Amino acid sequence: MDGKQRRERLLGIIASSAEPVTGAALAAALEVSRQVIVSDVALLRSSGIQILATPGGYLLLPATPGRKPTRVFSCRHDSMDAVRQELLTIIEAGGKVRNVIVDHPVYGEITGELMISKPSEVERFLEKLEQTEAEPLSAVTHGMHYHSVEADSEELLDQIEEGLRQIGVLQE
């Protein structure tokens, strides 16, 4: 079974379950490692499928009518300059960075709300990190993280994806 077929099966398993499905159960059902499941979920999210990781497992979120198009991008970087470049790339292309998400090996999914849509908000966010001597949430996963991004259209989300690819932070 190729990756696309595996992700379709993974999505089918999650969608048909009334309860959260653990990464271990998905890995066993699909005969892959849990890390492959984490990567597949990230790819499904990046295509716009809303999958929530809970301490009990993965859930499929229903579509919300009237909501702007949203996509989850899988990213990795290792410097504050790259954080700035990543956030500015998203908002300058017309996106709003709703949050940052990391998949911690012990705690599961950890989300930090950002709601950044202007360059001044990027600078304020970075200044607050510096002033408090705090690390970005992605530091706990060696730079690997996800952003939920909303925009006025799927075309703008495609442009944001290409911009993240060009600056070298998009994980595919």
Side-chain angles (χ1 to χ4, degrees):
M1 156 178 14
D2 68 14
K4 183 178 180 190
Q5 293 170 325
R6 185 183 60 246
R7 286 185 290 280
E8 287 172 359
R9 284 198 51 212
L10 183 151
L11 185 57
I13 293 168
I14 296 172
S16 65
S17 177
E19 301 292 323
V21 183
T22 67
L26 290 166
L30 299 171
E31 300 177 346
V32 295
S33 69
R34 186 180 179 293
Q35 186 57 43
V36 169
I37 298 300
V38 170
S39 295
D40 282 350
V41 167
L43 287 170
L44 289 167
R45 285 175 169 163
S46 72
S47 70
I49 297 169
Q50 299 296 306
I51 298 174
L52 178 66
T54 71
Y58 294 105
L59 289 170
L60 185 63
L61 297 177
T64 307
R67 188 171 175 193
K68 288 185 177 188
T70 302
R71 194 173 297 170
V72 178
F73 296 104
S74 175
C75 300
R76 174 177 244 139
H77 51 67
D78 59 2
S79 72
M80 293 306 286
D81 286 337
V83 172
R84 174 180 280 109
Q85 188 178 21
E86 172 191 63
L87 295 173
L88 289 173
T89 296
I90 293 168
I91 64 167
E92 288 172 354
K96 178 178 187 174
V97 183
R98 297 180 59 81
N99 58 32
V100 59
I101 306 162
V102 297
D103 189 14
H104 192 277
V106 174
Y107 300 112
E109 187 172 283
I110 302 170
T111 303
E113 296 301 319
L114 295 177
M115 305 309 272
I116 295 175
S117 59
K118 300 176 191 167
S120 61
E121 293 169 347
V122 171
E123 295 309 319
R124 196 169 24 252
F125 170 72
L126 295 171
E127 285 170 10
K128 192 167 188 174
L129 283 175
E130 185 178 327
Q131 289 170 354
T132 61
E133 298 181 11
E135 294 282 335
L137 191 54
S138 61
V140 300
T141 54
H142 309 290
M144 183 67 194
H145 61 286
Y146 309 94
H147 286 297
S148 297
V149 176
E150 74 178 37
D152 289 335
S153 68
E154 290 292 334
E155 292 76 20
L156 285 176
L157 290 171
D158 290 342
Q159 291 173 16
I160 291 166
E161 183 173 336
E162 183 55 33
L164 293 172
R165 184 176 290 115
Q166 287 179 3
I167 64 169
V169 299
L170 187 67
Q171 296 294 291
E172 301 186 76

